[in-house]
Amino acid sequence: MRTILAVWLLCSAVASAAVAAEPSPELIAYGKSLVEAGNCAGCHTADQAKPFAGGKRIDTPFGAIYAPNLTPDRETGIGAWLDADFTRAVRTGTAPDGSLYYPAFPYPYFTHMTKDDTLAIRAYLGTLAPVVSRNKPPELRWPFGHRGLMRAWNFLFFTPGLFEPDQSKSAAWNRGGYLVTGLGHCGACHTPKNYFGADKTAQALSGSELGGWYAPRLDGAARTGLQSWSADDITEYLQSGRNAKSHADGPMAEVIVNSTSKMSDADVRAIAEYLKSLPPARRETIVTPPDEAEMKAGQAIYAKFCVACHEADGSGAPRIYPPLPANALLQSINPSSTLRIILDGAHTVTTPRAPNTGEMPPYAKQLSDDEIAAVTNYIRNSWGNAGPLVTPAQVAKARGQEP
């Protein structure tokens, strides 16, 4: 009887501990907010009917990688992982079996996250419906498919460690820095990369090409960065997908819909405060204006196709048709995003704060490479703008890329 009682008491204690270990609703809700801030679903959802089940193809300069299953399925997801396994994967890029992830998974940013935040994320992911979805192997060019090379990459380019608050700055600034350099992994798109796909840290957030688009500068550059944007401008853009200066399109539109528009007001304003404090990370390009013939050709095309919405002076209708004068993205050193919009058209992103829609038609079939180059040069160098010359060859290259 004594033995039976002891066993019963032990089982009861284990059961009580298991119940106590269940994450609270508050922790799960906080984890959900972190998952949204990190836009985890954006990469880990291939089928909208199976959120977080992985399988989404992520193209890199070295080949394709497929995002893994984050649902709590024990065989194909993370259901059998220990908390320590999850934290190590997120913050060091190391799988439970000791293999190393490729940095398309942004662990070089997530390393700045606290352990508590990683566990909150895991608590939320544990509430998802388990989905059987086996992870697909990467399709990388030789020799990049050899994961052993990641040890050398990590040695050269990965510095693990938490975000270090600056005690001379406000709590909001430090929160913004934590989100931008950590969970939000903004530099994964907006920081130039070297030959090995690692960040050029000395040029952080100074713009980079990504999948046929150009992620613009987020530093304080006067012409092509955020110097002319106020903190309120940045906040409005992240919350609604538009402001009086620009509209979101391409990959950034997805980030706004799936992530920043769902974040708390305090967190979005913290990001804005942090970004507004950044000095230019590199010099802006000295621009040689197009010749008179090129400008006249572009002006004629603009008058025929663009003036009805954007007006003769480029002023447009803020928050409906983006204004063109002093448009930072339009003047970027890399014209990829501008060409993508002219070729494929644009659809104004809709969010709860800005539900009204708008669109720009595509001109890929109506205009030749020379004509698109001419009108692009015109709008990039009118009304006080100054953007490097765009050639028909650049248009042809953009035309050949997937929209």
Side-chain angles (χ1 to χ4, degrees):
M1 176 65 73
R2 185 175 299 173
T3 301
I4 294 174
L5 179 61
V7 171
W8 181 83
L9 289 173
L10 178 61
C11 291
S12 297
V14 170
S16 298
V19 170
E22 286 293 318
S24 67
E26 292 78 14
L27 181 65
I28 292 170
Y30 179 58
K32 181 176 185 290
S33 74
L34 294 175
V35 166
E36 290 172 346
N39 193 28
C40 304
C43 286
H44 290 274
T45 302
D47 181 351
Q48 294 301 317
K50 301 176 181 178
F52 298 96
K56 184 172 181 177
R57 179 187 175 98
I58 300 171
D59 289 306
T60 78
F62 312 101
I65 291 173
Y66 294 89
N69 183 356
L70 295 186
T71 73
D73 180 68
R74 294 187 63 82
E75 290 188 14
T76 65
I78 61 172
W81 289 22
L82 302 175
D83 285 351
D85 293 333
F86 186 79
T87 297
R88 186 171 69 151
V90 169
R91 292 175 57 190
T92 72
T94 306
D97 64 3
S99 62
L100 300 177
Y101 293 115
Y102 293 105
F105 172 57
Y107 66 88
Y109 296 91
F110 292 167
T111 189
H112 300 312
M113 293 170 56
T114 65
K115 179 181 178 181
D116 286 346
D117 278 1
T118 65
L119 294 180
I121 289 172
R122 174 162 171 75
Y124 169 70
L125 294 177
T127 67
L128 301 174
V131 177
V132 177
S133 177
R134 300 197 178 278
N135 297 326
K136 299 179 181 179
E139 299 171 358
L140 300 173
R141 299 194 310 274
W142 185 90
F144 303 111
H146 295 280
R147 287 189 184 269
L149 293 175
M150 283 307 305
R151 299 192 183 281
W153 194 96
N154 284 342
F155 176 78
L156 292 171
F157 305 119
F158 174 48
T159 304
L162 295 172
F163 173 78
E164 296 184 7
D166 184 338
Q167 300 302 325
S168 70
K169 302 291 188 180
S170 68
W173 184 95
N174 280 295
R175 177 64 176 174
Y178 177 76
L179 292 169
V180 168
T181 66
L183 182 59
H185 59 287
C186 304
C189 293
H190 291 272
T191 294
K193 304 297 183 282
N194 64 19
Y195 179 79
F196 300 100
D199 284 356
K200 294 181 179 179
T201 53
Q203 300 177 23
L205 301 177
S206 64
S208 183
E209 186 170 3
L210 177 76
W213 292 84
Y214 184 70
R217 301 183 72 148
L218 300 182
D219 61 12
R223 193 177 75 248
T224 59
L226 294 179
Q227 186 181 107
S228 65
W229 288 35
S230 68
D232 286 342
D233 290 332
I234 298 171
T235 299
E236 181 182 2
Y237 181 85
L238 293 176
Q239 290 182 325
S240 70
R242 68 190 84 165
N243 59 21
K245 297 179 181 294
S246 189
H247 285 207
D249 203 350
M252 190 62 204
E254 296 179 13
V255 171
I256 288 171
V257 170
N258 297 322
S259 179
T260 59
S261 67
K262 299 180 178 181
M263 293 172 65
S264 70
D265 290 350
D267 276 352
V268 175
R269 290 187 177 279
I271 290 173
E273 180 175 335
Y274 177 79
L275 292 179
K276 277 299 295 180
S277 75
L278 299 178
R282 54 174 166 164
R283 294 180 180 178
E284 293 192 292
T285 303
I286 298 175
V287 175
T288 301
D291 60 34
E292 185 177 353
E294 180 79 356
M295 289 295 283
K296 283 186 175 180
Q299 184 179 29
I301 297 166
Y302 181 86
K304 181 177 180 180
F305 293 98
C306 313
V307 73
C309 295
H310 290 284
E311 305 292 344
D313 61 358
S315 59
R319 299 177 180 84
I320 301 174
Y321 304 118
L324 304 180
N327 187 302
L329 176 62
L330 184 62
Q331 299 176 82
S332 295
I333 185 174
N334 186 314
S336 295
S337 292
T338 300
L339 295 178
R340 194 80 275 138
I341 291 168
I342 294 173
L343 287 166
D344 303 331
H347 298 275
T348 301
V349 61
T350 60
T351 58
R353 285 181 169 86
N356 54 311
T357 60
E359 67 177 51
M360 170 179 158
Y363 291 103
K365 294 182 179 179
Q366 292 176 267
L367 300 176
S368 68
D369 293 345
D370 290 278
E371 290 172 322
I372 290 177
V375 73
T376 303
N377 285 323
Y378 175 73
I379 62 177
R380 277 163 61 89
N381 291 278
S382 296
W383 317 296
N385 290 347
L389 189 71
V390 176
T391 66
Q394 287 175 288
V395 180
K397 179 181 177 183
R399 194 186 290 275
Q401 294 176 321
E402 288 291 332

